[in-house]
Amino acid sequence: MRSAFRIVAMVAAAAAAGATTSLPGAAAADTAAGVSRGHTYHVATWGADRADGTAAHPLRTIGRCSELVRPGDTCLVHRGRYRERVAPPSGTKDAPITIAAYGDGTVTVDGTKTVTGWRDAGDGLVATDVDLPLDPSENALFVDGERAMEGRWPNSGPDPLNPSWAVAERTSTDQHIDDPDLPAGDFTGATVHLWAGSNPWSQQTGTVTATAPGALDFKGGNYRCTPLCMGDQNYRNYYLVGAKSTLDQPGEWYYDKDAKRLYLVPPKGGLAGHTVTAKYQSWGVDLAGSSYVTVRGLDLWGTSLRTGDTSTGVLVEGLRARYISEFSTLPMPRDDELAIPPFEGHIVAARVLGSGVQIRGSGNTLRDSDIGYSAGTGVLLRGSGNTVTNTYIHDVGWMGSYTPGIEINGSGHTVTRNTIRRTGRASIDTAWQLNGVPFHDNRIAYNDLSEAMRTSRDGSPFYVCCNLDAKGTSVDHNTVHDADGQVGYYIDNSSGNFLLHHNVAYNTGSRGTFFNGHSSVSLGNRDHNSTYGLGVSTAVRLSGATDASGTYVSNDVALAPMEISGPGDPAPVVRSNLLPPTDPGYTDARNGELWPREGSPAIDAGETVDGVTTGVRGAGPDQGAYEYGAPIWSSGCNLPGCQSRVRNDGWKATPSDGTDASAAVDGVQTTQWKGAAAQAAGQSLTLDLGTAKTFDRLSIDAGMDATGHPYGFAVSVSDDGSHWGAPVARVGGRSFTQDAVFEQRTARYLRVELTAPGEVPWAVNEIRLYADGPDAAATLQAEQATSVRGAERGDAATGVLGSGDRIGFRGVRFGAGADRLTVRLASAGCGRGCSLQLRLDAPDGRVAATLPVPDTGSTDTWEERSVALPRTVAGTHDVYLVATGGPRVAAIDWLTLRR
């Protein structure tokens, strides 16, 4: 299935376990089952629940296997789709219960059921009588495996993170909308979704109570003016959903809950040959009453997984979940869900506790998984001592409340090595209304957070609020970038005792890190050895603190100044930072490679900070997040899909109006190109990538501009810049960053052409390209390899590879080609005859190059070594670096494949 707004990450259980290829037959069964201490039952769609559960006579349902298993037992599930609720009993610490994919194909727990009985309902609609069991606001419909849009006005494309908004007149009030463009029809009872106010840091919903030509009344919203309400405000955005009168384009649907009747605008040509399914099950894998259960290698479709508040010892790995949560309203959390006495501002925590993959309880783990497409939270951590690691989370939080990629509630959690991309608001967040003030002993490290804040402005990829006490919490070695908010790391409203160190931020808006005292205190907050790149106007800001005791900023490196204002008494400590006008000597700031080059003034220039400046090389600690001479650490997961950005090697942009559009492709999100006139169909922007690149998604980022996004555009590609085929994508919407998604293409030129008029000129802060798999021209970090065999995978490099050991990257995109391999390595004691072979498509595939490995003198001494490729490599290939010649050939830091 290929969603129109998907970012692909095909994660098989074998890949999640770090294997090079999927494992067939008995070998996969052994891998899936692990060490079994009890009985093994087989489950297959061709089985029968009256069978004995052997491989020859499998059971039909996972539910029947769950009834039979006892501590130590295993359910091995064969390929197929299982429309059921899986709720196994508890195992024990020494004898867990395991439910695992067998390894012979995809195992899907499907929370939907097929809807039949359709008949003509007039006005171009079909209808069927069906009792959908979920709350009406949580219904979801799929046509041929694609998410169908609930009927809405104005119409919007398939990407819920790129919604089309209507704009109310300034004569509107907090419970009334004036809009002459509002179509005729009865919208009474519909939901009005608001993103409105003077500084709307959250979205809200209400219910339409009356309609009239060009106007409607509604009840709900937050009543919190001026920040969050409709009226004479800076933002007056809204749309309507949930009314039969909005049904006007194929795929839109409406459910009449009173009549229990489902209406649908059928595809062109009718429903014949099409399949419609509706969501029936919120929790397809329900471990709310289970402990000591292992779930391995399952897919979820249209449903989610949860553990409970008393769960412990649950391990979930290799999970691939799609369309986990759906809802159309944002109600206030119940009073019994709140840790802080209720007040109106708690509307921001709507749906946090009821959505996402939920890891509740204590001592539970989610790892090596791919979680995508949720109206709300991606993953909820709640309780204590839980772990989320090496997981890819994307396309979540599109309803615009404080539902992030990962919501952390509680203490003692570990959140490491995750890639979180395309979120409505934050990538990582804590809702203090639900969490309470204690936020102790959490470790949040080595995460890559990007493309956040798609439906808001006042926030950040990493956001925590309010008055939190983060004693013992470390936020370190994370990277935030390419986000549409105002800050990279936002410690809001008097929260204290946060230790930030060795973090990286670029293209995050106005600030890299913000400690907001908010006319109160900022106690014990620290930022050490962080690095700030392009697209950040203030590296670190501390403001509004009446007391900044224990707050300390040192060893940071930035391209922008710091702003420490109103610190009160005592003031924070701010020293030993490398700031403008000094050039820090980054390797490649345009592409976010912010480690120091030889001769950088940051080398050996830092001060010693206990517990932070470890692994020092040279005369003293370096300033910034990277220690010169050490292996370069990276952030994010190592699964397929975790790497996708196309390297910008110096692209050029030429607009049809002849203006200078270099700001659109300069790698700096805070610079902007703006057209010379109001938007009109036919205006265009042509990109020359310099050489052919492979891509399947184009992102147009308008930065903080609330008006300059294109109202509609088409994307075309060309090999020569003169001959253009039919557009590969057409996009409409009103969001600040808009994505065009299409089948993968390899081309040197792209053209973006407007297809609709607009009241203001077109504005572009940055254009980015993406595709599945890493760009060969980028720096491929060894610890992020899709597979590693024969060596440990560290935080910044591999251990020493011996003969036959290897690392592999899946789906590396070479575009027009590469003819040189460069590897940063360390070796000692190998002697003559040692080498690294570059092999394509398989570990024993064609040898594309052989790089001799010298003795560097120490496995802790790193050198760059290059070799020319005998033949240029183009296209897309799996890439393997295979060691030969001895038991200790080399440790690998990174490699590049470039012209």
Side-chain angles (χ1 to χ4, degrees), residues 282-314:
S282 296
W283 307 106
V285 179
D286 194 345
L287 309 177
S290 303
S291 292
Y292 301 111
V293 173
T294 294
V295 176
R296 181 180 293 120
L298 302 187
D299 281 22
L300 301 181
W301 176 265
T303 191
S304 193
L305 175 150
R306 68 177 177 184
T307 64
D309 292 338
T310 61
S311 296
T312 188
V314 173

Side-chain angles (χ1 to χ4, degrees), residues 555-576:
N555 289 350
D556 286 357
V557 177
L559 296 174
M562 294 182 178
E563 182 181 315
I564 311 297
S565 62
D569 186 18
V573 175
V574 182
R575 67 188 182 206
S576 188

Side-chain angles (χ1 to χ4, degrees), residues 23-250:
L23 302 174
D30 292 342
T31 299
V35 179
S36 175
R37 295 180 174 85
H39 190 79
T40 296
Y41 297 93
H42 288 255
V43 180
T45 55
W46 57 88
D49 279 350
R50 64 181 181 275
D52 59 12
T54 61
H57 302 96
L59 303 169
R60 171 62 183 84
T61 64
I62 309 171
R64 176 55 179 157
C65 190
S66 296
E67 294 173 355
L68 296 174
V69 289
R70 299 294 180 266
D73 291 351
T74 296
C75 296
L76 283 182
V77 188
H78 292 258
R79 68 185 185 276
R81 188 170 292 271
Y82 297 83
R83 284 189 160 97
E84 55 178 304
R85 174 176 167 268
V86 179
S90 294
T92 66
K93 182 176 182 180
D94 296 326
I97 287 172
T98 299
I99 298 176
Y102 176 80
D104 57 351
T106 302
V107 175
T108 302
V109 176
D110 191 336
T112 72
K113 292 184 179 180
T114 302
V115 180
T116 59
W118 296 97
R119 64 185 184 277
D120 184 81
D123 297 324
L125 305 178
V126 295
T128 186
D129 293 327
V130 59
D131 188 0
L132 298 180
L134 302 179
D135 182 279
S137 68
E138 299 175 6
N139 286 325
L141 208 69
F142 302 88
V143 178
D144 298 333
E146 300 282 349
R147 176 180 180 267
M149 182 76 72
E150 187 173 7
R152 58 174 288 164
W153 182 84
N155 288 331
S156 194
D159 182 355
L161 284 167
N162 179 23
S164 292
W165 297 94
V167 180
E169 296 292 295
R170 289 189 176 273
T171 53
S172 302
T173 64
D174 61 356
Q175 302 285 281
H176 175 82
I177 288 174
D178 289 322
D179 185 355
D181 295 328
L182 190 69
D186 184 7
F187 299 106
T188 303
T191 295
V192 56
H193 189 130
L194 307 172
W195 184 35
S198 61
N199 181 27
W201 32 259
S202 185
Q203 295 177 28
Q204 306 162 72
T205 59
T207 302
V208 177
T209 57
T211 58
L216 61 82
D217 295 324
F218 66 93
K219 181 179 181 180
N222 196 37
Y223 297 89
R224 188 168 178 167
C225 297
T226 59
L228 293 174
C229 71
M230 184 59 74
D232 185 9
Q233 306 293 334
N234 297 331
Y235 296 81
R236 304 179 306 282
N237 300 310
Y238 77 100
Y239 64 79
L240 302 174
V241 65
K244 186 180 176 184
S245 57
T246 63
L247 300 181
D248 62 355
Q249 66 176 355

